[in-house]
Amino acid sequence: MEIQIENLCKRYTSGGNTINALDEVNLTIPANQIFTLLGPSGCGKTTLLRCIVGLESPDSGEIRIGGETVWSGKDNIYVPPEKRGLGMVFQSYAIWPHMTVFENVAYPLQTRKTDRNVIREKVAKTLAFVQLEGFEDRPATKLSGGQQQRVALARALVAEPKVILFDEPLSNLDAKLREETRKDLRVFLTELGITAVYVTHDRIEALALSDSIAIMDKGRIIEKGTPKDIYFRSEHHFVADFIGRTNLIDAVVTAQEPSATIVDCALGSLRCAPLPRTNPGDKVVLSLRPEFLRFSDSDKDGPTNRISGRIDSLVFIGEALEGEVLVNDTSLFVKVPPDSELKEGDPISITVSPANCLLLTK
Ligand code: ATP
């Protein structure tokens, strides 16, 4: 079910200061996708989620779920949360400790006075779906964190919501379990084919889980796209920096060619991926991701940029050697294969293809 958000504003006043938690948010969340709201702490993600659920009242704008208006400032419409047909999973699993797994999952159906046989059938089906068959009689507290989170998911799914919303649901799990649960969640949600709106400030989680991501900052949507679009073809300085570690270097356009934009920067003259609508003399920012920097002289991939420098520092972190290369006075963050013999002080030649030299407007 598609969610449409139009010109949504929400202001908070606290200690005499006004905060624009949502500042003219316009967003369409496509049906049957895992859609993530990603951004730094305080950017407005939770406020937007709470407005969709109906736990928060916006100041102005409109929210439609599956074509039905659930909130409108101008038409004075407010549909309460329980009538919006949504399921929600929070950061704290909020499962009831005094109940068994079965009782926890059955609860939303019991409050609707559903027939006992139907409840038994639906709970069994949902528990099988989240792979908790056989756990029905276990007290909810006698489960691992990942299993408790799956109980919370089952409880949100059992009433067959049209849309499911998640607010940082994995942040209480340890790193390994978070990774496993993230993978399971993607499988569950894709299989279910329902609309899922997911809030996180964890970029890896967003990249791994989502069909689409919207990046938020200061109450606004800055950019949206598939994980690969956001990572490889971000248009904004803020997004490129937030979504993964990158080298951002001021540059000036010197020429436009059909297949490349040429720039001058502290690393020299570089051929970059074309940035349309820029002219010689325009100031831009070059984004060079460490994973695209190569340390051999191979020309196999066609025309390439060559940058010479010296290794300033290298630290072994297991999966790689991370460090910095000094090019003139500019420091480049690099990642080198962990078995490399390179060491501090070594001269180094870096190659990077034009397609991987991304230009952003300033
Ligand atoms: P986090 O990732 O830290 O949860 P967030 O992106 O979800 O952050 P929100 O919780 O939506 O951010 O908050 C957006 C802004 O609104 C923040 O500046 C926050 O301090 C402010 N805010 C949120 N709720 C209230 C409130 N009830 N009263 C006053 N200010 C609030």
Side-chain angles (χ1 to χ4, degrees), residues 12 14 19 21 40-47 168 201:
Y12 291 111
S14 137
I19 299 151
S41 181
C43 71
K45 311 179 288 291
T46 298
T47 304
E168 309 247 8
H201 62 268

Side-chain angles (χ1 to χ4, degrees), residues 152-163:
L153 177 63
R155 197 182 49 190
L157 291 177
V158 78
E160 295 165 8
K162 296 178 277 188
V163 176

Side-chain angles (χ1 to χ4, degrees), residues 10-15 17 19-22 37-50 56 91 167-168 199-201 216 218-219:
K10 174 72 187 172
R11 281 176 295 277
Y12 291 111
T13 308
S14 137
N17 292 326
I19 299 151
N20 282 319
L22 297 178
L37 299 168
L38 173 69
S41 181
C43 71
K45 311 179 288 291
T46 298
T47 304
L48 182 53
L49 201 73
R50 288 173 60 82
E56 199 72 73
Q91 178 173 348
D167 193 358
E168 309 247 8
V199 158
T200 183
H201 62 268
M216 290 187 75
K218 301 191 183 87

Side-chain angles (χ1 to χ4, degrees), residues 3 15 37 90 101 125 154 174 202 213 227 233 242 283 297 315:
I3 302 175
L37 299 168
F90 295 95
V101 168
K125 197 171 120 207
D174 68 42
D202 181 330
I213 300 174
R233 293 176 283 280
F242 186 76
K283 290 183 174 166
D297 278 344
V315 177

